[in-house]
Amino acid sequence: MYVQELEPLADSLGLSALVAALPLVIVLVLLGGVRMKAHLAGLTGLLAAVLVAWLAYGMPLDQTVSSAAQGAVFGLFPILWIVVNALWVYRMTVRTRHFDILRRSFGRLSDDPRIQALVVAFCFGALLEALAGFGAPVAICSVMLVALGFDPVRAAVVSLVANTAPVAFGAMGTPVVTLAQVTGLPLDDVASVVGRQTPLLALVVPLLLVALVDGRRGLRETWVPALACGVAFAVAQFVASNYVSAQLADIGAALVGAGALVAVPQARRPAAEPVRASVLTGARSEELDEDDPRREVLRAYAPYALIVAVFSVAQIPAVKDWLAQATQTYDWPFLDVADPQGRPVGGNVFSWPIVSTGGTLVLLAGLATAGVLGVHARVAFREWLATVRELRYAILTVTSVLALAYVMNLSGQAATIGHFVAAAGAGLAFLSPVLGWFGVAVSGSDTSANALFGALQVTAARESGLSPELLAAANSSGGVLGKMISPQNLTIACAAVGLAGREGDLLRKVLPWSLGLLLVMCLIVVGQSTPVLGWMLP
């Protein structure tokens, strides 16, 4: 048995924490400073974590390698299993041209560019984040807004800022699923706290978007539909994450938010010509004027309805219990780890929820989607393989980062850093979202930031007397605000609208909003750690 030590180097917590942080520092420097590709930075950081665990912490090499293997396997299943199948559904809609029909359907909802920004960037962007994530919402929404006549810079900025509130539950809940796994906290507990933080962003972001599109006039004239959209989105995200399913949080919020927006009379009124002339400074795509048969429009919406239906059925207690029976539990080979108190850690056992996991449910919805859209089985399979190929570098990145996280957690490195950080005391509640924000700003992924810092946040919380669920959730909620300034997302936005090389211009425009919203999230978490807002927590 390997027993974790908190102070393996000269009985010094500070020195041990300094060495334990080396893998994280290496990853962040390679990503943010050297601009190394993410999968190479992840593999380098993994190697550093293995060496620190083996040489500094005395973890046997076979157990160190075994813990890395477990992290990589978890990265593949269920994390990437969800992402691949969700993106596969999206690719089938693109192949059958039903995505274009969906885009035209959105364009007809309103001719007011401020409302179009809410429908496309906020609501549909959230739907794309729920299904695909990994930069897809920014790329697709930016292109759609340009097609509607938006100036490319404005389209990119609006899409980047909109891609905040849904990120924590993106890719069918992948970030919170990862957070629960690396921290050992129940998924429902983590998701419910995140669902009491990010919805507060959803109240603000739609108002911010109409202001970005048309300044004070936009805010003055369209605040009612913007607020209705934000409130509906926030309520739906809260209800789904707390009482239904974390995987459905963004899908439900996007659909309910869009429905509330369309229901407001002001949203359907034609925009004044001076407004359109001042906002729509680009060329509008003539393709938007094509008429689509009602049957095809319904088929375009069908994939999202099928996903909601499959996940809803899976939440019925009897069905949920039946699906859970297929879960396999294994004693992970070559791994026997105890915490500093001598208690076995959860990593010694690996659970494989074969059927009940989100990825398998999305796969079932995808098979139904192929039938509804008329995609031949051979073509659907080729699209699935093409999806895997498209994500090959993301797969390598996620597996290496999860392997790194597992090595740090099981060797005791994360616990050492957490005990050291706990010295911040009450200030830890304010700094917790900042750590997540920094992780996402550098890595471009809330999932990666949760894997890197989740266990650290929980250890620090327990040492300082704060709620582990609160600080774990704060890591993810603060992280969503780093998404808009991550080099990965900025590059995607520039490439999508033809602004290659102008990432710096976009960064200067979105950085103040990222920092401002981060400050709001820090204050929310501080309030939730005290009786002032403590009543908000479950």
Side-chain angles (χ1 to χ4, degrees):
M1 177 182 287
Y2 167 71
V3 180
Q4 297 172 346
E5 287 187 65
L6 293 178
E7 303 174 355
L9 298 176
D11 292 326
S12 169
L13 183 61
L15 179 60
S16 300
L18 185 64
V19 173
L22 279 177
L24 295 178
V25 173
I26 288 172
V27 171
L28 298 178
V29 169
L30 291 179
L31 282 172
V34 181
R35 296 294 180 89
M36 181 181 284
K37 292 186 180 298
H39 63 281
L40 296 177
L43 290 170
T44 305
L46 171 59
L47 176 60
V50 168
L51 291 175
V52 170
W54 178 37
L55 300 176
Y57 276 74
M59 188 179 196
L61 187 58
D62 60 338
Q63 297 215 45
T64 304
V65 173
S66 180
S67 62
Q70 185 180 159
V73 168
F74 177 72
L76 290 171
F77 192 99
I79 301 303
L80 288 164
W81 181 236
I82 297 172
V83 175
V84 167
N85 289 324
L87 193 56
W88 172 57
V89 173
Y90 163 71
R91 284 181 62 100
M92 285 194 291
T93 67
V94 172
R95 183 180 181 89
T96 59
R97 311 285 300 197
H98 284 90
F99 178 77
D100 295 331
I101 295 172
L102 195 66
R103 181 176 66 180
R104 288 193 288 271
S105 175
F106 290 154
R108 295 189 193 99
L109 292 176
S110 174
D111 72 342
D112 188 326
R114 300 163 299 190
I115 303 302
Q116 289 173 343
L118 293 177
V119 172
V120 173
F122 188 69
C123 297
F124 187 58
L127 197 58
L128 290 173
E129 182 66 38
L131 293 179
F134 291 91
V138 170
I140 295 167
C141 293
S142 296
V143 171
M144 289 177 71
L145 290 177
V146 169
L148 290 168
F150 278 67
D151 168 73
V153 173
R154 185 173 292 169
V157 170
V158 167
S159 298
L160 284 166
V161 174
N163 191 220
T164 48
V167 169
F169 296 104
M172 307 307 296
T174 297
V176 291
V177 170
T178 303
L179 185 61
Q181 181 69 21
V182 300
T183 59
L185 299 173
L187 173 59
D188 290 343
D189 292 355
V190 173
S192 65
V193 179
V194 175
R196 296 165 193 243
Q197 294 172 341
T198 55
L200 299 176
L201 294 176
L203 299 175
V204 178
V205 171
L207 296 170
L208 177 56
L209 294 180
V210 297
L212 286 171
V213 172
D214 195 29
R216 292 182 180 178
R217 178 179 60 183
L219 193 57
R220 184 175 65 251
E221 295 180 359
T222 57
W223 70 269
V224 173
L227 187 61
C229 177
V231 169
F233 186 102
V235 170
Q237 193 181 61
F238 162 74
V239 171
S241 60
N242 277 266
Y243 304 110
V244 184
S245 165
Q247 287 91 343
L248 281 179
D250 278 350
I251 293 179
L255 297 176
V256 172
L261 177 62
V262 174
V264 177
Q266 290 97 318
R268 299 192 300 275
R269 292 174 187 164
E273 197 55 41
V275 172
R276 293 181 55 81
S278 64
V279 174
L280 300 181
T281 55
R284 185 178 183 275
S285 173
E286 295 181 359
E287 178 199 355
L288 295 171
D289 298 322
E290 294 181 20
D291 287 328
D292 298 302
R294 181 181 295 274
R295 179 171 177 271
E296 294 305 312
V297 174
L298 291 175
R299 291 175 73 191
Y301 283 91
Y304 312 104
L306 286 169
I307 289 175
V308 172
V310 169
F311 272 85
S312 298
V313 170
Q315 297 306 310
I316 298 173
V319 176
K320 192 173 184 178
D321 293 341
W322 179 68
L323 294 175
Q325 291 176 7
T327 299
Q328 302 291 317
T329 302
Y330 306 96
D331 288 327
W332 192 259
F334 308 110
L335 200 61
D336 188 10
V337 180
D339 64 18
Q341 287 74 42
R343 297 168 299 198
V345 300
N348 296 326
V349 177
F350 185 79
S351 293
W352 187 20
I354 303 172
V355 182
S356 60
T357 188
T360 303
L361 297 179
V362 175
L363 177 64
L364 294 175
L367 295 174
T369 294
V372 171
L373 299 185
V375 181
H376 191 278
R378 190 186 312 109
V379 175
F381 182 63
R382 281 204 303 264
E383 285 296 321
W384 192 89
L385 292 178
T387 303
V388 174
R389 186 177 186 282
E390 179 185 335
L391 291 173
R392 61 190 183 280
Y393 292 120
I395 290 171
L396 193 53
T397 299
V398 171
T399 52
S400 61
V401 168
L402 264 297
L404 180 157
Y406 268 60
V407 170
M408 292 190 65
N409 293 346
L410 291 174
S411 67
Q413 295 173 60
T416 297
I417 300 171
H419 279 73
F420 182 74
V421 172
L428 188 59
F430 185 88
L431 295 175
S432 185
V434 177
L435 191 59
W437 173 86
F438 181 71
V440 176
V442 173
S443 68
S445 166
D446 201 36
T447 299
S448 295
N450 286 345
L452 291 173
F453 300 131
L456 185 158
Q457 298 264 24
V458 167
T459 302
R462 286 174 174 152
E463 286 302 303
S464 59
L466 295 171
S467 164
E469 292 81 6
L470 174 62
L471 294 202
N475 192 84
S476 191
S477 299
V480 306
L481 300 170
K483 189 88 167 177
M484 69 178 84
I485 64 167
S486 70
Q488 171 185 306
N489 254 24
L490 291 171
T491 302
I492 289 171
C494 284
V497 299
L499 297 173
R502 294 185 59 184
E503 289 86 354
D505 295 341
L506 289 186
L507 177 60
R508 284 189 290 273
K509 290 182 178 295
V510 299
L511 181 59
W513 301 113
S514 177
L515 293 174
L517 292 172
L518 175 63
L519 176 60
V520 172
M521 182 55 65
C522 290
L523 295 176
I524 290 172
V525 175
V526 169
Q528 290 178 333
S529 69
T530 68
V532 176
L533 295 179
W535 53 269
M536 293 180 63
L537 299 181

